[in-house]
Amino acid sequence: MSVTNTKKAKEISPNKLPFLQAQVLQKIFLDFYENKQTSISELSELTDYPKDSKILKDAVNSLITKGFLEGEFGSFTIPSYSQKIMENFAKRNDYKHKNFSDKLLKFCQNGSSSDSLFEFNQTISELNKYGVIHKWYDYLEDFPYQLIEEKIKEYDLQPNSLIVEPFAGSGTTLISANLFHCNAIGFDSNPLMTFVAETKTTWDVDLKLLKEVIANISNQFIEKIRNYDSLKLEKGFLERMPKKELNQWLSPSLQKEVNLLKNLIDEIENQKIKNLLLIAMSKSCFDASHVSLCPGTTFYPFREKEEFWDIFTEKIIQIYNDLQLVQKHDNYGKSKLINDSCLNASLYIEKETIDFIVTSPPYPNDLEYTRQTRLELYLLDFVKEMNDVQQIKRNMVKGSTKLIFKESNSENFIAKFKSIQVVSDKIYEQTKDKNWGFDYPRMVREYFGDMYLCMKEFYELLKPNANFLQVVGDQTIKGVYIPVCDILIEMAQEIGYRNCKKELFRMRRSTGHNIALPEEIVIIQK
């Protein structure tokens, strides 16, 4: 390679391309690698843009201008300085010749759990501390596992006490509660997270049968993946998920690998084992995808990730070993998961039956959590179209502008709190002359309205003197400081809670400013 070409190779990076250009380049690279030329019709089908779309043609021309391609439709060539990029990408997507590890099959045949980091005599406290069970499926902004243990001990909760988690997420609170002999009820509006938390709190699994099923799945996957195009498979999420969104998440090869595995898992008859493999598959799919959470959702089609099948292999071994460890102990608490808003808790829980509530609720930070889990929602059949996603969003606490609908009216319940109106007015002053951010003031009001209703809903359900803990952080929006913890305490006192206070949990620093933001534990007592 000449000096000029070497310099050019260092200058170009496909990870800096807009997604449409990256998607087009992927297709052309894959076709070229197989000695084929890409047609405008194929790109139209891939991207959902019409064949005569100026946007599509401009994307191709931009790739030529930037030096990734040379030529034109029907006669594309790959410059020498792009060859390595093409080869690396093509090899990662060459499922017909790729080497798929048989480690999972050997694990089942050898009967070994040597990959476990723990000895069988670990205490429950040690298992909880090191994330046994917890790490099967983590979630954005989970809090430390040991926090629940600390609070169970600090508040002297006895075996069979009822702990409630209004925002269950991936089940951190419920898992720890069960490990330390407490029963738990968790709410989540997102059906995926309800499913994840329920699966992670189900430990009475037949481990011998689990290995037999894993071995069968592993055998079939390795045998069939190379002939994917000739298989008669249910397309499922590949057909239901909007094409542009699907391609943002998954490479062409990964779509096929995941779909084959999903079809194989769907044939499993034992529901507990099936659920375990489904969350392992979905988490592995997410980890191998194009996505990066930072904290929004960004896609990098050319970023090298660990292979999906390798991630799935390690995840399954981890799950098996963790179950083996927890089954060495007994007398765990039980969990119940409810796929509904915690604002409806009184429909499921009797008055004065809750011993303790601990949660990390959403923050008013404009993060829309169905976006973070969109792939898995379609993959595991919880949604079939965008209307289904919209219904989930309607039930979520409005910490994001994207969760506010015309009929949203929680702000009506907090009009009496001047502190909220002051923050809302300050944000309005920062955004009134802009063509963005106009809905941030309402988001703040709706958020605190939902949190007010949450605390009010649980007041009658708590036993006298029971405590309600919220791990929550102050926020800034457009330079306006939002004292979230102080406002929550103010609202709790108005509802009737007493002994309201806050404890510093940790300090955070946003990437967008230099203001140190405290994350605190808001403690209120009935």
Side-chain angles (χ1 to χ4, degrees):
M1 185 184 293
S2 69
V3 174
T4 302
N5 284 349
T6 301
K7 182 179 178 182
K8 187 74 174 177
K10 292 180 179 179
E11 291 175 353
I12 65 173
S13 171
N15 275 321
K16 296 179 181 179
L17 291 173
F19 183 79
L20 177 61
Q21 293 179 28
Q23 187 181 17
V24 168
L25 186 61
Q26 283 183 333
K27 173 63 176 169
I28 294 173
F29 273 177
L30 288 174
D31 284 349
F32 194 87
Y33 189 73
E34 296 182 356
N35 298 314
K36 296 189 298 185
Q37 282 287 326
T38 308
S39 69
I40 188 69
S41 297
E42 290 173 315
L43 290 181
S44 172
E45 182 180 355
L46 172 70
T47 63
D48 266 355
Y49 283 101
K51 288 187 288 187
D52 58 353
S53 166
K54 184 177 183 300
I55 294 175
L56 187 55
K57 291 179 180 177
D58 284 349
V60 175
N61 290 333
S62 291
L63 291 171
I64 295 171
T65 301
K66 293 174 181 178
F68 291 99
L69 301 173
E70 290 178 349
E72 57 187 15
F73 279 109
S75 58
F76 284 124
T77 58
I78 310 298
S80 58
Y81 46 80
S82 288
Q83 287 280 346
K84 192 65 175 178
I85 299 172
M86 178 199 71
E87 290 173 4
N88 288 341
F89 177 75
K91 287 176 181 177
R92 291 201 308 275
N93 283 274
D94 184 11
Y95 63 91
K96 295 178 182 178
H97 303 97
K98 190 188 297 183
N99 179 35
F100 291 92
S101 169
D102 62 353
K103 181 177 179 178
L104 191 53
L105 184 59
K106 290 179 178 177
F107 172 80
C108 296
Q109 293 171 339
N110 295 338
S112 169
S113 59
S114 58
D115 284 18
S116 175
L117 296 176
F118 307 100
E119 299 296 331
F120 287 140
N121 60 355
Q122 293 289 317
T123 66
I124 290 296
S125 183
E126 288 170 322
L127 296 182
N128 184 64
K129 176 182 177 182
Y130 291 110
V132 168
I133 305 296
H134 291 289
K135 292 182 179 179
W136 293 1
Y137 193 114
D138 52 6
Y139 193 45
L140 205 63
E141 299 180 2
D142 277 348
F143 46 58
Y145 323 125
Q146 58 267 38
L147 176 67
I148 308 304
E149 176 185 0
E150 292 171 3
K151 296 307 174 184
I152 287 174
K153 292 176 178 178
E154 179 182 344
Y155 288 88
D156 195 28
L157 296 174
Q158 300 302 305
N160 297 317
S161 293
L162 177 58
I163 297 177
V164 170
E165 165 57 282
F167 306 97
S170 65
T172 300
T173 296
L174 293 92
I175 294 165
S176 294
N178 289 170
L179 284 171
F180 295 100
H181 315 300
C182 294
N183 297 321
I185 296 176
F187 293 85
D188 207 294
S189 297
N190 188 330
L192 170 72
M193 302 320 301
T194 305
F195 170 73
V196 167
E198 186 171 33
T199 303
K200 288 172 67 177
T201 51
T202 301
W203 305 333
D204 56 337
V205 178
D206 183 335
L207 295 184
K208 181 180 178 182
L209 180 59
L210 175 58
K211 272 200 170 180
E212 292 174 2
V213 171
I214 294 170
N216 181 46
I217 292 287
S218 181
N219 255 328
Q220 290 194 68
F221 180 86
I222 294 173
E223 177 186 330
K224 293 181 176 182
I225 185 59
R226 305 192 195 288
N227 301 309
Y228 178 90
D229 293 333
S230 64
L231 300 175
K232 295 181 179 179
L233 300 172
E234 291 291 331
K235 297 297 183 182
F237 79 104
L238 296 182
E239 293 182 336
R240 291 193 296 267
M241 193 170 181
K243 184 178 291 187
K244 289 180 182 178
E245 196 167 22
L246 173 64
N247 291 335
Q248 278 185 314
W249 283 90
L250 304 180
S251 69
S253 172
L254 186 50
Q255 291 179 28
K256 296 179 179 182
E257 292 174 27
V258 174
N259 191 51
L260 171 58
L261 185 57
K262 175 66 162 53
N263 273 259
L264 295 174
I265 293 174
D266 282 343
E267 295 176 0
I268 298 172
E269 294 182 0
N270 184 290
Q271 193 62 50
K272 292 178 182 178
I273 292 176
K274 182 177 181 178
N275 291 347
L276 287 173
L277 269 64
L278 285 174
I279 70 164
M281 175 195 67
S282 61
K283 188 62 172 71
S284 302
C285 180
F286 179 92
D287 288 347
S289 73
H290 296 322
V291 75
S292 176
L293 304 180
C294 54
T297 308
T298 310
F299 302 95
Y300 297 98
F302 284 90
R303 179 174 290 179
E304 292 192 28
K305 293 282 194 78
E306 192 176 350
E307 291 287 352
F308 164 69
W309 181 249
D310 292 341
I311 299 173
F312 178 76
T313 293
E314 297 303 325
K315 183 63 66 177
I316 289 295
I317 292 173
Q318 176 190 42
I319 288 173
Y320 181 92
N321 287 334
D322 284 2
L323 286 172
Q324 200 171 39
L325 288 169
V326 297
Q327 288 184 7
K328 293 291 180 180
H329 301 268
D330 56 14
N331 194 28
Y332 295 120
K334 297 293 183 182
S335 281
K336 178 180 180 182
L337 274 298
I338 298 169
N339 179 212
D340 197 357
S341 168
C342 63
L343 304 188
N344 298 323
S346 58
L347 298 177
Y348 307 94
I349 302 174
E350 295 182 7
K351 290 183 178 181
E352 298 192 349
T353 58
I354 299 175
D355 295 288
F356 193 66
I357 299 177
V358 58
T359 186
S360 181
Y363 300 174
N365 54 9
D366 207 23
L367 280 183
E368 198 274 275
Y369 288 98
T370 70
R371 182 63 175 149
Q372 320 281 346
T373 60
R374 192 68 52 83
L375 171 65
E376 300 102 301
L377 282 168
Y378 278 100
L379 174 59
L380 298 188
D381 308 314
F382 290 114
V383 301
K384 293 180 171 57
E385 57 185 10
M386 272 306 298
N387 282 340
D388 298 333
V389 177
Q390 296 289 75
Q391 289 306 311
I392 295 171
K393 291 165 66 171
R394 290 175 190 276
N395 283 329
M396 301 178 81
V397 167
K398 299 167 198 70
S400 168
T401 56
K402 300 174 186 65
L403 300 175
I404 298 174
F405 294 84
K406 183 184 294 185
E407 67 272 18
S408 300
N409 65 351
S410 295
E411 64 178 321
N412 295 338
F413 296 92
I414 48 87
K416 65 188 91 171
F417 298 102
K418 291 184 179 179
S419 56
I420 300 172
Q421 191 60 49
V422 167
V423 170
S424 174
D425 289 346
K426 287 181 178 179
I427 295 172
Y428 171 75
E429 289 299 318
Q430 295 297 316
T431 59
K432 65 180 180 181
D433 298 326
K434 308 290 194 303
N435 57 5
W436 45 259
F438 59 89
D439 42 5
Y440 283 141
R442 186 183 176 194
M443 180 194 80
V444 168
R445 299 193 301 272
E446 289 289 345
Y447 169 80
F448 282 113
D450 280 344
M451 292 307 298
Y452 176 85
L453 292 174
C454 171
M455 291 188 289
K456 188 173 183 179
E457 179 75 3
F458 282 107
Y459 185 81
E460 295 294 330
L461 307 182
L462 282 161
K463 291 180 179 179
N465 302 314
N467 290 279
F468 185 161
L469 274 58
Q470 301 172 70
V471 181
V472 65
D474 290 351
Q475 297 291 304
T476 60
I477 293 180
K478 302 307 173 188
V480 177
Y481 190 90
I482 308 175
V484 176
C485 301
D486 290 341
I487 292 174
L488 290 177
I489 287 175
E490 180 186 0
M491 294 192 303
Q493 290 172 331
E494 192 275 341
I495 292 169
Y497 288 95
R498 58 193 180 87
N499 296 330
C500 302
K501 59 184 179 179
K502 58 184 181 180
E503 297 175 352
L504 181 63
F505 181 48
R506 58 189 173 191
M507 297 299 295
R508 299 171 297 128
R509 190 171 295 277
S510 170
T511 55
H513 55 69
N514 292 321
I515 302 173
L517 296 174
E519 194 167 30
E520 298 175 294
I521 303 177
V522 171
I523 303 167
I524 58 179
Q525 186 180 43
K526 181 174 179 181

